[in-house]
Amino acid sequence: MSNYILSCCSTADLSTEHFKRRDINYVCFHFFLDDVPYLDDLGQSIDLAEFYQKMEDGAMTKTSQVNVEEFVEYFRPFLEQGKDIFHVTLSSGITGTFNSANIAKDMLLDEFPERKIYIVDSLAASAGYGLLMDAIADRRDEGYSIDELNAWVLDNRLFDNHWFFSTTLTYFIRGGRISKAAGTIGNMLNICPLMNVDFEGKLNVREKVRSKRKVIKAIVDKMEALANDGLAYNGKCYISHAGCIEDAKAVAELIEERFPNIDGGVKIYNIGTVIGSHTGPGTVALFFWGNKRLD
């Protein structure tokens, strides 16, 4: 058994059962639904289908990251048990959590100078972050030391490919990422933006595809172009969705037709409440190992 614990944030968007099975600890972000506070606890406080339905019905959301004091409270029991900590944060291109975790680390190392605490920026989000955590857990189980694990993540995190699409621009308008006029026209024209997470861990619109049918094909085409070994890809593939399971299944079906060697088949998860508060319902995300993100 390793002398360190593996940890991440709830925004890795896997399930509680998955995290327990892989022995991955997690700390919860927060969100507000019409000013009522909740923990981002992977659908335990509020059913995720209900959450997305409330958003569609007009409920307003906002999110809050894990603060320094919460990280200190979360990390301390592991250190008291004599364990080192390997914590991977949600992308610094999306949130300031990486900085908060590092401040907590510095405070705790004054108290526990004999321990090691690694805080690593995933440059990833949602189940792409989860895909990275699973790869990290695999290497822990293979016997990697905490120092070897840190080196592996820094060398490999940008090979974790993230592609998203949204079937509505409503929440991009609400979040101020596009103008109301441009979003209204885009919705009228049935524009579905195809996005990815770049080398800085930031979300970027790469293409504007007209119609859901075409964007489903386009996102799978991206996997064919970028995945390790192309159509012979035999790594893991995860999909996450925001209240649109049928769209996620359509992407998974097309992937499994084209990529028969995927490890364990395509796995579908929910986009959690924090990421989903910003993407809105109607978002599907695809994650796989492939070409290094260079821009």
Side-chain angles (χ1 to χ4, degrees):
M1 181 177 292
S2 63
N3 65 341
Y4 61 89
I5 65 98
L6 186 56
S7 173
C8 65
C9 304
S10 58
T11 43
D13 286 351
L14 301 180
S15 66
T16 54
E17 295 80 12
H18 190 120
F19 283 130
K20 183 176 181 179
R21 184 172 68 252
R22 295 310 313 268
D23 192 20
I24 300 172
N25 300 276
Y26 63 92
V27 60
C28 294
F29 272 57
H30 310 267
F31 72 98
F32 297 81
L33 186 64
D34 281 340
D35 294 324
V36 178
Y38 293 87
L39 279 178
D40 174 44
D41 55 6
L42 310 176
Q44 296 180 78
S45 294
I46 182 171
D47 179 78
L48 289 168
E50 179 185 354
F51 170 77
Y52 286 116
Q53 186 60 56
K54 286 181 179 294
M55 285 191 74
E56 289 191 26
D57 292 341
M60 300 301 295
T61 61
K62 59 182 179 180
T63 61
S64 175
Q65 66 185 41
V66 184
N67 62 37
V68 173
E69 291 75 18
E70 288 171 317
F71 270 122
V72 169
E73 182 179 349
Y74 169 69
F75 288 149
R76 177 175 280 113
F78 301 123
L79 300 170
E80 290 175 340
Q81 294 165 21
K83 293 286 188 177
D84 296 330
I85 294 171
F86 193 86
H87 181 79
V88 185
T89 70
L90 177 63
S91 173
S92 62
I94 297 173
T95 176
T97 304
F98 178 67
N99 292 331
S100 298
N102 270 298
I103 294 170
K105 166 190 169 179
D106 291 342
M107 293 170 63
L108 286 165
L109 285 178
D110 287 339
E111 186 176 347
F112 298 92
E114 73 285 2
R115 298 265 59 88
K116 290 182 178 180
I117 305 174
Y118 277 102
I119 306 297
V120 184
D121 185 350
S122 70
L123 299 176
S126 193
Y129 180 11
L131 182 66
L132 177 63
M133 294 308 303
D134 265 351
I136 293 170
D138 288 341
R139 280 145 188 86
R140 175 205 58 200
D141 294 347
E142 290 169 9
Y144 278 47
S145 70
I146 193 170
D147 304 306
E148 291 171 330
L149 197 59
N150 181 62
W152 184 89
V153 176
L154 295 180
D155 286 344
N156 289 276
R157 59 188 172 180
L158 290 179
F159 293 99
D160 182 0
N161 280 232
H162 295 50
W163 287 89
F164 303 73
F165 68 78
S166 178
T167 56
T168 176
L169 300 177
T170 300
Y171 303 94
F172 291 83
I173 299 170
R174 183 182 293 180
R177 291 184 290 276
I178 62 174
S179 70
K180 185 175 182 179
T184 300
I185 293 171
N187 278 335
M188 290 174 61
L189 295 175
N190 199 20
I191 297 296
C192 301
L194 181 61
M195 303 160 278
N196 81 334
V197 171
D198 67 15
F199 72 107
E200 295 180 322
K202 297 177 181 178
L203 185 63
N204 289 285
V205 176
R206 298 299 189 180
E207 298 177 22
K208 297 175 182 176
V209 183
R210 193 168 181 179
S211 85
K212 182 194 297 186
R213 178 182 62 82
K214 290 182 179 178
V215 81
I216 288 173
K217 180 180 182 299
I219 201 170
V220 179
D221 287 344
K222 288 294 184 185
M223 182 171 175
E224 181 174 337
L226 298 171
N228 291 337
D229 301 317
L231 294 175
Y233 178 71
N234 62 359
K236 292 180 180 179
C237 177
Y238 291 173
I239 290 174
S240 58
H241 72 96
C244 50
I245 183 63
E246 294 306 319
D247 294 342
K249 287 180 178 178
V251 174
E253 181 177 350
L254 186 54
I255 289 172
E256 291 186 339
E257 287 176 2
R258 289 202 207 174
F259 301 86
N261 300 318
I262 287 175
D263 182 6
V266 178
K267 304 298 184 185
I268 299 177
Y269 297 95
N270 291 292
I271 294 177
T273 52
V274 167
I275 303 295
S277 290
H278 298 282
T279 67
T283 299
V284 175
L286 170 63
F287 312 100
F288 55 90
W289 293 100
N291 291 2
K292 189 173 185 178
R293 291 180 259 157
L294 298 175
D295 61 4

